[in-house]
């Protein structure tokens, strides 16, 4: 198990994960990542003993990149659980999805999403998005629970 | 309409009332003047009386004063007295001299009951006193003493208040003078103290004629005040106590001290209206006011006022009575005339009613003789009125006995209804009639005769026959129609059954449509997700290859990878357009009033921003307002205008015009360009989804724009069409229904 991760990525599409990782590599920044392949894995990581974020055994990430259409437990439900827990609700959650449905946008923000991005079809734009997400959320943004300076 | 008689009546009433009012006013005015004359007369009498009383009083006061001076003169010019005083002052133990002095003073005192008499030496020291020994008397009255000594004359002081008793007194200073040749020396002064209560006040107070409010006042001025010197009639024990400011110029006393003379009107100290005679008392600082309440003066006139009023009232009432009588008389005349006229009219009316009747009317007496007929009777019998009257009633009928029976029956029962008889004309023609008759009575109720009316029923009989025939035919028709209706009813029932079946079908279809819509929605949701994911991967990997294998790939391979990438973008655009088109069919339409012109302006501004390099000449002409969904109509204009921009790209000057007009119940809008146009042979493909009339290489796009336009306009209940010639531009039209 990785004992520390800056960024938790909840994404089932293997190709998207590969592109995200490739883009992260491009940024030449040292970002530790944890990839969870479905909603159940995400819930387990954050809430289920023995090893979970909630108990303090695992550190709080700087950012969660969350896809909405994922197997088992869908993204909105995961978001709801994260944002209704006292400990996890301050972790910034960026929704990164292919859906541009107004209903999805509205529900995400209602549940407390910190940002909502639609995966661009164009690969150049896709890479640009990932770079900006990392720059902003993992580098510039300061969280509630943050203790030291990177 | 106003009856002229009543009009006349009203006029008479009007004149009478006017005369009455005028007379009443005249009487009241006369009464008023008479009353005022009386009042003036009485007032004048009172004034004269007051003036006489004042005059009398002044003279009385003068007399009184002269008498007092006379008393003093007895002392003043008594040589024996002077020498006794001389002796006594030189030697106070000269008892004889003292005795002589006292005896004269006592005699004087007794003659008028003076309050006191004092002898003072020239140092104003009291030497002798008849009654009370006031040691400081000389000091208190030094003014008077000095004046008397200076003038060597007797001086009568003003009213003053005794410092010990508080009583009001006057004093007389009599200088005691010894003369030697031309030399006169003052030895001392005799002070005679006068109590005005004794004679002066009563004299002033007494009123020579009987009166309840008549009063005389003696006043003098002290600074800015007037002082009442005598005892007042209406306020006791007030001499020298009552003072009033000179500002109270309604007071007769104030007027007097301010110099007015004669008769004045004013308010007295009791705030009553008074008439007063005022004037100064000679040789004194006093003024006299003789006054009497106006109330008392006018008391007699009060009584006279009521008497006058009574007489005026009586005269007016009498006048009223005379007027009323005259009016009644006039009215009675008018009503009599009216009544006579009315009676005449009534009788004429009754006669003309009888004559106007189409039915023959007759009156018959108890012997069966005709007594009166109308015109109709003359016509139906063919005989003149003169012949008919007096003849037998029954002789004009075919069945004479039956006719006799009729009128006997009427006399017996009082009435007969619809009795069928046949009348015979002089020419032999017979008319079927129905007889209606009643008896008529005089005032006392005695039967005078009968009144009969015949109704010609020839026509009626004929109509009854026709009616019967018509009725029979109608029954036949009704039966036919009933049968027809039965058949129609049966077919209608089957139609209703069919319709119910149809409704069930529609309901089922609606439910099906709802299910389909939901499925369609979830379908398009997955399309947007699942169709994009592989495209994204294709583009992503192509990019990675182009980046990582750049040195291994030749130029051709790189070009093909770029084509793969651009095609994934086109595919993405196709998916987007397809989605938005399919979503359109399920969108709710929010209708509102549309300012189409501003909507076009907004759209055009956005398009200009996207196409900064184009030289576009845009014009808007006469755009009527409309009714529709703002977002969707804006989408229509966005699509049509961007098409116009797209297909004019080969033109140096792109002319784009938009406008509209009203036609029948709809507004028609158009967008016109001078672009490449299209071939009308392929018109049927123009509005199809993904249908293109130009190659994608020349003009980019997916071919959804016009399909969306059509979809939106159809959902608004409008129509879309277009006109074009190749290379000569195109016009796109759409219509929207007008809503009033």
């Amino acid at each position: 198990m990785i004992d520390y991760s800056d960024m938790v990525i909840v994404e089932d599409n293997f190709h998207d994960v590969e592109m995200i990782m490739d883009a992260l590599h491009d940024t030449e920044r040292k970002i530790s990542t944890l990839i969870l392949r479905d909603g159940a894995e995400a819930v387990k990581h954050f809430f289920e003993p023995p090893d979970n974020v909630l108990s303090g055994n695992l550190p709080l990430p700087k950012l969660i990149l969350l896809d909405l259409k994922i197997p088992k437990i869908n993204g909105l439900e995961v978001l709801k659980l994260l944002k209704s827990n006292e400990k996890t609700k301050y972790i910034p959650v960026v929704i990164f999805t292919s859906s541009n449905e107004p209903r999805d946008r509205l529900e995400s923000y209602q549940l407390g999403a910190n940002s909502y991005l639609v995966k661009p079809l164009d690969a150049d734009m896709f890479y640009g998005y990932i770079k900006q997400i990392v720059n902003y959320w993992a580098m510039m943004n300061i969280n509630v629970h943050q203790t030291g300076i990177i | 309409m106003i009856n002229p008689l009543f009009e006349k009546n009203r006029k008479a009433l009007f004149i009478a009332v006017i005369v009455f009012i005028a007379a009443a006013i005249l009487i009241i005015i006369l009464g008023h003047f008479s009353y005022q004359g009386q009042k003036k007369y009485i007032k004048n009498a009172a004034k004269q009386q007051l003036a006489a009383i004042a005059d009398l009083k002044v003279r009385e006061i003068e007399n009184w004063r002269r008498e007092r001076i006379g008393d003093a003169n007895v002392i003043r010019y008594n040589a024996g007295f002077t020498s006794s005083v001389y002796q006594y002052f030189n030697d106070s133990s000269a008892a004889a001299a003292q005795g002589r002095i006292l005896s004269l003073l006592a005699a004087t005192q007794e003659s008028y009951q003076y309050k006191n008499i004092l002898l003072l030496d020239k140092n104003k020291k009291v030497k002798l006193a008849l009654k009370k020994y006031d040691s400081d008397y000389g000091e208190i009255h030094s003014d008077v003493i000095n004046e008397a000594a200076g003038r060597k004359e007797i001086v009568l002081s003003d009213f003053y208040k005794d410092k010990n008793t508080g009583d009001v007194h006057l004093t007389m200073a009599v200088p005691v003078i010894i003369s030697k040749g031309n030399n006169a020396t003052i030895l001392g002064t005799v002070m005679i103290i006068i109590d005005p209560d004794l004679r002066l006040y009563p004299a002033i107070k007494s009123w020579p004629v009987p009166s309840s409010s008549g009063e005389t006042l003696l006043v003098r001025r002290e600074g800015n005040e007037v002082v009442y010197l005598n005892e007042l009639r209406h306020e006791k024990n007030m001499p020298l106590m009552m003072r009033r400011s000179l500002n109270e110029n309604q007071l007769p006393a104030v007027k007097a001290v301010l110099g007015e003379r004669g008769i004045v009107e004013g308010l007295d100290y009791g705030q009553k209206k008074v008439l007063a005679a005022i004037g100064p008392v000679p040789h004194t600082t006093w003024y006299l006011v003789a006054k009497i309440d106006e109330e008392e003066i006018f008391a007699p006139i009060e009584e006279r006022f009521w008497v006058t009023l009574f007489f005026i009232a009586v005269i007016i009432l009498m006048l009223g009575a005379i007027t009323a009588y005259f009016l009644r008389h006039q009215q009675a005349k008018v009503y009599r005339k009216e009544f006579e006229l009315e009676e005449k009219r009534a009788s004429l009316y009754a006669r003309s009613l009888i004559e106007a009747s189409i039915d023959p009317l007759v009156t018959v007496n108890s012997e069966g003789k005709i007594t009166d007929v109308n015109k109709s009777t003359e016509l139906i019998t063919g005989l003149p009125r003169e012949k008919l009257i007096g003849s037998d009633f029954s002789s004009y009928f075919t069945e004479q006995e039956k006719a006799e029976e009729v009128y006997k029956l009427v006399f017996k029962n009082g009435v007969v209804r619809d009795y069928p008889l046949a009348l015979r004309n002089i020419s032999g023609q017979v008319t079927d009639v129905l007889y209606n008759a009643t008896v008529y009575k005089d005032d006392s109720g005695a039967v005078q005769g009968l009144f009969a009316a015949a109704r010609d029923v020839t026509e009626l009989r004929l109509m009854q026959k026709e009616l019967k025939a018509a009725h029979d035919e109608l029954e036949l028709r009704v039966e036919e129609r009933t049968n027809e209706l039965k058949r129609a009813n049966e077919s209608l029932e089957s139609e209703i059954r069919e319709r119910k079946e149809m409704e069930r079908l529609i309901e089922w279809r609606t439910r099906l449509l709802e299910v389909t819509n939901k499925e369609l929605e979830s379908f398009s949701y997955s399309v947007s997700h699942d169709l994009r994911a592989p495209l994204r991967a294709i583009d992503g990997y192509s990019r990675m290859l182009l980046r990582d294998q750049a040195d291994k790939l030749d130029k051709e391979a790189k070009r093909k990878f770029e084509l793969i990438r651009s095609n994934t973008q086109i595919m993405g655009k196709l998916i987007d357009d397809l989605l938005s088109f399919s979503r359109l069919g399920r969108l709710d339409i929010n209708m509102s009033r549309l300012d189409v012109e501003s909507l076009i302006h907004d759209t055009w501004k956005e398009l200009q921003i996207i196409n900064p390099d184009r030289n576009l000449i845009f014009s808007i002409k006469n755009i009527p307002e409309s009714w529709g969904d703002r977002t969707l109509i804006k989408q229509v204009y966005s699509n049509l205008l961007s098409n116009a921009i797209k297909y004019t790209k080969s033109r140096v000057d792109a002319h784009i015009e938009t406008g509209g007009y009203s036609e029948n119940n709809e507004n028609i809008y158009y967008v016109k360009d001078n672009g490449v146009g299209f071939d009308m042979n392929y018109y049927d493909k123009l509005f199809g989804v993904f249908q293109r009339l130009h190659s994608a290489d020349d003009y980019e796009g997916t071919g959804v724009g016009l399909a969306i336009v059509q979809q939106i306009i159809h959902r608004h209940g409008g129509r879309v069409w277009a006109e074009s010639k190749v290379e000569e531009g195109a016009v796109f039209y759409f219509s929207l229904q007008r809503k009033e």
Side-chain angles (χ1 to χ4, degrees):
Chain A
M1 238 17 228
I2 304 155
D3 57 349
Y4 182 83
S5 52
D6 289 326
M7 191 168 162
V8 171
I9 299 163
V10 188
E11 175 62 75
D12 68 319
N13 187 316
F14 168 77
H15 308 295
D16 284 343
V17 172
E18 185 157 348
M19 277 161 78
I20 292 167
M21 295 314 287
D22 193 41
L24 284 176
H25 182 259
D26 270 5
T27 63
E28 293 172 352
R29 289 189 189 277
K30 283 181 181 165
I31 302 289
S32 58
T33 52
L34 172 66
I35 292 152
L36 305 169
R37 304 306 300 267
D38 57 45
E41 266 185 37
V43 171
K44 185 165 176 281
H45 174 75
F46 284 102
F47 304 108
E48 277 175 24
D51 293 331
N52 64 14
V53 173
L54 205 61
S55 62
N57 289 340
L58 290 173
L60 291 170
K62 283 184 170 184
L63 171 69
I64 300 168
L65 196 66
L66 180 64
D67 187 10
L68 290 184
K69 207 177 167 233
I70 45 176
K72 291 177 186 171
I73 300 171
N74 77 37
L76 287 171
E77 279 177 70
V78 174
L79 178 66
K80 194 174 173 182
L81 284 170
L82 283 169
K83 289 298 181 184
S84 52
N85 184 289
E86 270 306 311
K87 194 147 185 183
T88 57
K89 75 176 180 187
Y90 299 111
I91 308 169
V93 177
V94 173
I95 304 295
F96 196 53
T97 175
S98 49
S99 163
N100 195 14
E101 291 284 324
R103 211 181 49 204
D104 282 340
R105 288 192 304 238
L106 181 70
E107 211 170 326
S108 297
Y109 280 117
Q110 275 173 344
L111 290 173
N114 300 71
S115 183
Y116 189 102
L117 296 168
V118 179
K119 289 175 186 166
L121 207 60
D122 183 83
D124 297 328
M125 278 171 78
F126 193 99
Y127 276 68
Y129 271 35
I130 296 299
K131 275 180 195 163
Q132 289 208 38
I133 290 168
V134 169
N135 272 334
Y136 183 79
W137 290 105
M139 298 296 155
M140 291 158 76
N141 190 47
I142 297 170
N143 292 349
V144 176
H145 302 291
Q146 209 155 321
T147 47
I149 299 158
I150 302 160
Chain B
M1 203 184 98
I2 299 162
N3 189 316
L5 273 171
F6 284 116
E7 180 65 13
K8 203 174 149 193
N9 208 350
R10 253 175 40 179
K11 215 164 155 185
L13 176 72
F14 182 70
I15 291 168
V17 169
I18 292 287
V19 167
F20 171 72
I21 289 170
I25 288 170
L26 192 71
I27 289 164
I28 289 166
I29 289 170
L30 282 175
H32 175 76
F33 280 119
S34 144
Y35 172 75
Q36 289 297 331
Q38 293 275 356
K39 204 170 168 181
K40 205 170 168 187
Y41 173 77
I42 283 181
K43 202 169 176 177
N44 276 336
K47 278 180 182 175
Q48 276 170 22
Q49 194 190 46
L50 265 181
I53 289 168
D55 197 38
L56 179 75
K57 289 288 162 187
V58 169
R59 237 174 295 154
E60 260 180 57
I61 293 163
E62 271 193 290
N63 282 340
W64 174 85
R65 187 176 165 276
R66 215 173 292 129
E67 275 172 32
R68 296 293 73 72
I69 302 284
D71 285 355
N73 273 334
V74 173
I75 297 166
R76 160 89 167 79
Y77 295 111
N78 191 322
F81 178 76
T82 308
S83 64
S84 295
V85 171
Y86 183 74
Q87 268 178 32
Y88 177 65
F89 279 179
N90 283 336
D91 176 11
S92 58
S93 61
Q98 189 189 9
R100 279 197 298 278
I101 294 165
L102 286 175
S103 74
L104 180 66
L105 294 184
T108 308
Q109 191 267 326
E110 242 162 63
S111 74
Y112 183 73
Q113 294 295 308
Y114 288 112
K115 192 79 187 173
N116 201 359
I117 300 181
L118 301 160
L119 177 66
L120 284 72
D121 65 10
K122 61 180 172 194
N123 296 322
K124 295 168 193 148
K125 193 167 173 252
V126 178
K127 289 292 190 183
L128 285 170
L130 266 189
K131 297 276 173 186
K132 203 172 147 217
Y133 185 86
D134 282 328
S135 58
D136 54 355
Y137 201 83
E139 230 171 287
I140 293 166
H141 296 283
S142 62
D143 287 355
V144 187
I145 297 165
N146 289 343
E147 195 190 338
R151 282 168 46 201
K152 297 189 175 68
E153 283 292 336
I154 296 160
V155 172
L156 179 65
S157 81
D158 221 318
F159 293 86
Y160 69 89
K161 228 167 202 168
D162 188 275
K163 68 173 168 48
N164 296 319
T165 60
D167 291 338
V168 175
H169 292 151
L170 294 99
T171 190
M172 249 186 319
V174 185
V176 183
I177 304 164
I178 191 159
S179 311
K180 284 177 181 163
N182 279 342
N183 236 354
T185 313
I186 304 283
L187 290 178
T189 316
V190 174
M191 301 294 285
I192 303 171
I193 296 154
I194 306 161
D195 182 359
D197 267 340
L198 208 63
R199 291 228 342 243
L200 183 60
Y201 282 172
I204 295 169
K205 214 165 154 183
S206 78
W207 198 259
V209 291
S211 163
S212 60
S213 66
E215 184 182 19
T216 317
L217 303 169
L218 211 52
V219 296
R220 71 163 184 253
R221 182 176 173 167
E222 265 182 32
N224 280 328
E225 286 177 323
V226 58
V227 184
Y228 289 75
L229 301 173
N230 64 324
E231 196 166 61
L232 305 177
R233 185 170 182 170
H234 306 294
E235 278 183 56
K236 297 294 173 197
N237 298 323
M238 290 301 285
L240 294 186
M241 294 292 282
M242 194 156 86
R243 290 163 176 272
R244 287 299 177 92
S245 162
L246 287 188
N247 292 332
E248 295 180 59
N249 54 9
Q250 280 298 304
L251 285 170
V254 172
K255 292 180 194 233
V257 301
L258 289 175
E260 274 189 57
R261 301 281 175 273
I263 309 292
V264 295
E265 276 179 81
L267 295 169
D268 77 347
Y269 51 85
Q271 290 302 317
K272 280 188 168 167
K273 275 180 91 174
V274 293
L275 204 59
I278 55 175
V281 179
H283 309 296
T284 65
T285 56
W286 308 333
Y287 296 86
L288 188 97
V289 177
K291 68 173 181 67
I292 188 163
D293 288 0
E294 283 195 359
E295 201 176 275
E296 190 185 337
I297 299 170
F298 295 126
I301 195 100
E302 185 92 344
E303 198 181 319
R304 213 165 294 190
F305 169 75
W306 289 113
V307 171
T308 314
L309 200 70
F310 173 74
F311 276 113
I312 288 173
V314 167
I315 291 169
I316 289 173
L317 277 175
M318 275 169 65
L319 203 70
I322 291 166
T323 313
Y325 175 78
F326 166 75
L327 266 177
R328 276 297 289 273
H329 184 73
Q330 187 71 20
Q331 251 175 12
K333 234 163 84 187
V334 167
Y335 284 132
R336 200 155 45 237
K337 255 186 198 167
E338 172 69 9
F339 177 74
E340 281 164 7
L341 243 152
E342 190 61 37
E343 210 176 38
K344 215 167 137 191
R345 256 205 301 270
S347 119
L348 229 141
Y349 174 70
R351 186 72 224 170
S352 56
L353 268 187
I354 291 170
E355 289 298 340
S357 173
I358 298 160
D359 293 340
L361 303 174
V362 295
T363 53
V364 181
N365 66 13
S366 49
E367 280 95 45
K369 303 274 188 225
I370 290 171
T371 51
D372 196 1
V373 294
N374 69 348
K375 199 83 192 162
S376 296
T377 315
E378 289 178 285
L379 281 174
I380 207 158
T381 55
L383 286 167
R385 185 180 156 84
E386 300 81 46
K387 286 239 171 99
L388 286 167
I389 290 172
S391 63
D392 273 333
F393 169 69
S394 51
S395 62
Y396 301 101
F397 297 93
T398 49
E399 299 159 280
Q400 215 161 325
E401 295 84 21
K402 210 172 156 191
E404 270 169 39
E405 242 169 64
V406 172
Y407 83 77
K408 276 173 190 162
L409 210 63
V410 179
F411 280 115
K412 196 180 154 203
N413 296 340
V415 67
V416 157
R417 294 224 178 277
D418 294 337
Y419 198 98
L421 282 172
L423 262 170
R424 196 208 310 273
N425 189 279
I426 189 91
S427 62
Q429 193 192 338
V430 172
T431 313
D432 280 336
V433 294
L434 288 176
Y435 249 99
N436 282 289
T438 61
V439 291
Y440 66 92
K441 298 170 179 175
D442 64 7
D443 284 353
S444 58
V447 175
Q448 295 288 299
L450 69 82
F451 180 75
R455 161 82 29 104
D456 184 343
V457 289
T458 320
E459 204 110 324
L460 194 72
R461 291 272 145 79
L462 213 74
M463 263 159 68
Q464 270 173 347
K465 262 182 213 159
E466 279 174 10
L467 207 67
K468 176 83 176 47
H471 177 79
D472 290 348
E473 198 191 326
L474 197 69
E475 267 189 354
L476 211 76
R477 281 211 195 145
V478 165
E479 211 184 307
E480 268 174 33
R481 188 56 58 86
T482 311
N483 288 336
E484 269 173 35
L485 270 173
K486 251 184 206 160
R487 280 195 297 278
N489 202 21
E490 273 160 19
S491 79
L492 204 67
E493 269 173 11
S494 79
E495 204 172 297
I496 289 169
R497 271 198 300 278
E498 274 171 30
R499 190 159 294 182
K500 270 186 183 159
E501 197 67 33
M502 196 92 89
E503 273 168 15
R504 260 205 301 281
L505 202 67
I506 288 169
E507 204 181 315
W508 181 74
R509 282 236 178 113
T510 311
R511 266 210 301 278
L512 197 70
L513 200 67
E514 277 167 13
V515 171
T516 313
N517 255 346
K518 258 187 202 141
E519 274 174 6
L520 206 63
E521 209 169 319
S522 67
F523 164 75
S524 54
Y525 188 80
S526 352
V527 165
S528 70
H529 261 69
D530 300 340
L531 290 192
R532 266 162 210 274
L535 281 176
R536 210 162 46 237
I538 292 166
D539 197 42
Y541 290 128
S542 304
R543 187 180 182 278
M544 282 183 217
L545 280 173
L546 277 168
R547 184 192 63 195
D548 298 339
Q549 313 292 327
D551 42 351
K552 288 182 196 159
L553 291 172
D554 62 14
K555 213 176 173 187
E556 185 58 19
K558 278 179 189 168
R559 190 184 71 86
K560 279 170 183 162
F561 269 119
E562 290 296 350
L563 282 175
I564 291 171
R565 287 198 66 192
S566 69
N567 269 295
T568 57
Q569 297 311 314
I570 290 166
M571 181 73 187
K573 181 86 174 91
L574 279 168
I575 292 169
D576 282 344
D577 287 351
L578 188 62
L579 267 180
S580 60
F581 181 74
S582 77
R583 206 173 278 136
L584 214 60
R586 303 193 305 275
L587 272 181
D588 287 328
I589 291 185
N590 298 312
M591 299 294 267
S592 67
R593 183 157 283 286
L594 289 184
D595 178 359
V596 182
E597 192 167 342
S598 80
L599 186 143
I600 294 172
H601 272 296
D602 291 350
T603 314
W604 183 252
K605 257 184 234 161
E606 287 163 19
L607 290 173
Q608 269 182 317
I609 292 165
I610 306 170
N611 301 283
D613 309 327
R614 295 288 308 277
N615 181 25
L616 300 165
I617 297 150
F618 183 59
S619 59
I620 299 180
K621 284 184 183 165
N622 186 35
I623 306 278
E625 273 195 359
S626 189
W627 195 260
D629 185 305
R630 191 179 159 82
T631 317
L632 294 180
I633 299 299
K634 198 177 167 196
Q635 179 73 54
V636 167
Y637 269 105
S638 179
N639 289 5
L640 291 180
L641 290 172
S642 52
N643 271 358
I645 293 171
K646 195 199 298 182
Y647 292 106
T648 52
K649 71 176 182 187
S650 58
R651 301 292 188 258
V652 180
D653 287 324
H655 286 276
I656 298 169
E657 180 194 314
T658 177
Y661 51 90
S662 295
E663 199 178 85
N664 300 327
N665 269 335
E666 47 186 23
N667 288 335
I668 293 167
Y669 301 90
Y670 65 87
V671 174
K672 187 174 164 186
D673 64 59
N674 63 341
V676 293
F678 58 85
D679 188 346
M680 285 296 271
N681 284 331
Y682 305 115
Y683 181 80
D684 53 336
K685 287 184 177 175
L686 194 61
F687 295 102
V689 187
F690 296 139
Q691 295 288 348
R692 297 180 51 85
L693 299 186
H694 298 88
S695 80
D697 292 341
D698 295 339
Y699 296 98
E700 75 285 2
T702 53
V704 176
L706 287 178
I708 287 175
V709 167
Q710 191 182 46
Q711 174 86 324
I712 290 172
I713 297 304
H714 282 178
R715 288 210 62 194
H716 276 78
R719 301 173 290 126
V720 190
W721 66 100
E723 288 163 6
S724 180
K725 270 186 191 162
V726 176
E727 289 301 324
E728 282 178 29
V731 193
F732 285 85
Y733 298 91
F734 67 89
S735 71
L736 289 173
Q737 277 171 352
R738 263 206 312 221
K739 190 177 176 177
E740 296 312 323

